[in-house]
Every structure is written in C-alpha cells, then in structure tokens.
Amino acid sequence: EVQLVESGGGLVQPGGSLRLSCAASGFAFLTYSMSWVRQAPGGGLEWLANIKLDGSGTSYLDSVKGRFTISRDNAMNSLYLQMNSLRADDTAVYYCARERPVTTPFPTRYYFDYWGQGTLVTVSS
Amino acid sequence: DIQMTQSPSSVSGSVGDRVTITCRASLAISSWLAWYQHKPGKAPRLLIFAASSLQSGVPSRFSGSGYGTDFTLTITNLQPEDFATYYCQQAHSFPYTFGQGTKLESK
C-alpha cells in the first residue's frame, strides 16, 4: 500500500525556519518525481515545488523561490522541504504528493496520484 | 502562469442527483488537466487525469471531459460520500496551478 507521511510542522516565528519531511513507503520511491503542495486556512490548493526522481532537477513557485528548498534521499525513501524566512502567509497545511507520469497524449505529463495527510505549519509571533 | 477558474464556487445536490462542475484555463492546455476530491482533514484524491481518464479505484459515476481551455467534471447518481470540495489542476506547465475549488454540499 502506498503511504506518504509528512512530519516536521509546528509553530514558528516570522523569519524562522522549518524542515518538513515526507516518509514514503509501499512503492519504488526512486522511480517517481515528487511535489509539495499546501493549503492555507480557508484557501485552495497551491503547488510549491517539484523534484525529479533522481534529484537532478527542481522547480519552484515564484513566491517561495529562494526561501524554500526541496530535496530527497532515495536511500531513505524520504522527501524534504527546507523552509526559511517564513512569513505569516506561509501558514498552511503542507502535503507531499507523488507524481504519476502519463504518456498519453504525448509528451509525458504528471499528475498527483497519492498524497499524504498533511502537516500544519503556523507562522506567528 | 496559467490561471484556472472553476464554477460554481459552491453547488448543492441530493443523493441520486447529477452535478456538473466546470473549469476554464487562461490558455490552451490540450488535455493536460486533472480533477481532485478533497475532504477536510484528509488527503486529496485524484479522480480524473488527462481530462477524461478515470483513476484506478474511482467509481464510474465520476467522468471528465474537455480540451483546450474548457473542461467539465460530472458526477452522476450522487452518493453521500461525494460531498466534498473539488479542484481542477493544469499539468501543462510549471507552476502547476489549481482552480479555487467547488464545494459540493448536501441540499
């Protein structure tokens, strides 16, 4: 059974840092690209960052570029999100999600087929 | 960035009803669109990918259609477990973007 379990959320002051983790099990982690997605209170889903299966490439939402860093450890089946310079508007539930490749129609595109339950990050003084 | 606009923002229905949610992209995204179901405190669930392909394990009462900029999610024979918030998402290009969500409530 595919499982994604996030951890590391909590209360942090503005300007502070936090590192989120996502433990993956039930599938060959090193063969999938992964993403982080968040949901602010009362808001919708917002994609934040993506990392390729071997960690060779990353992409970010402009509003977190330079503050957040996505990484992975395939030996540990783990995904990470290092968050620095946190602001009040970063308060949200953070989800990790597996990206399923779909090759039809060409070219390959990716969809989030499994998600974790999320971890809450609260940025407040 | 590609903007995704869903309508309506909320819709109500009764068990057995047919419900339709629409999603419009700010530019053409071919069929690179997904639909997700999200319940409070739960992980979002992929329902439809590539605009019309049903994810494994998802009941056939869910269906998707559309191409280019206009897409539709249809739920037929509404069931009690279907009351949730639904999001569309474009997979055309980074940054991936979601619609603002449509809350399906019980009438």
Side-chain angles (χ1 to χ4, degrees), chain B residues 11-75:
Chain B
V11 61
S12 60
S14 300
V15 172
D17 282 355
R18 180 178 185 268
V19 170
T20 298
I21 299 168
T22 64
C23 178
R24 175 164 288 175
S26 61
L27 58 85
I29 58 170
S30 182
S31 59
W32 295 317
L33 182 108
W35 289 97
Y36 300 88
Q37 177 191 68
H38 193 199
K39 297 179 180 179
K42 302 283 192 179
R45 178 193 186 193
L46 175 65
L47 301 173
I48 301 286
F49 62 92
S52 61
S53 296
L54 194 67
Q55 171 71 352
S56 175
V58 174
S60 60
R61 63 180 180 272
F62 291 92
S63 64
S65 65
Y67 185 90
T69 60
D70 294 306
F71 301 87
T72 299
L73 173 70
T74 300
I75 312 170

Side-chain angles (χ1 to χ4, degrees), chain A residues 35 37-39 43-50 58-62 95 98-100 102 104-118, chain B residues 1 30-34 36 38-39 41-46 48-51 53-56 87 89-101:
Chain A
S35 273
V37 178
R38 70 184 177 186
Q39 182 178 35
L45 299 172
E46 181 178 52
W47 172 84
L48 298 174
N50 145 280
T58 57
S59 296
Y60 294 91
L61 184 67
D62 278 353
Y95 299 96
R98 190 179 85 167
E99 297 190 17
R100 170 190 170 167
V102 174
T104 305
F106 184 82
T108 300
R109 287 297 186 267
Y110 299 83
Y111 301 92
F112 307 126
D113 65 342
Y114 284 95
W115 301 60
Q117 299 271 36
Chain B
D1 298 0
S30 182
S31 59
W32 295 317
L33 182 108
Y36 300 88
H38 193 199
K39 297 179 180 179
K42 302 283 192 179
R45 178 193 186 193
L46 175 65
I48 301 286
F49 62 92
S53 296
L54 194 67
Q55 171 71 352
S56 175
Y87 294 92
Q89 174 246 326
Q90 62 84 10
H92 175 278
S93 55
F94 290 125
Y96 296 140
T97 45
F98 293 84
Q100 79 278 17

Side-chain angles (χ1 to χ4, degrees), chain B residues 12-19 77-79 83 104-107:
Chain B
S12 60
S14 300
V15 172
D17 282 355
R18 180 178 185 268
V19 170
N77 187 23
L78 203 60
Q79 295 300 298
F83 296 107
L104 173 55
E105 298 174 298
S106 176
K107 193 180 291 183

Side-chain angles (χ1 to χ4, degrees), chain A residues 16 22 24 37 40 42 47 54 61 65 68 79 92 96 103 105 110 120:
Chain A
C22 171
V37 178
W47 172 84
D54 58 358
L61 184 67
K65 201 176 296 183
F68 290 10
L79 176 73
C96 62
T103 57
Y110 299 83
L120 176 63

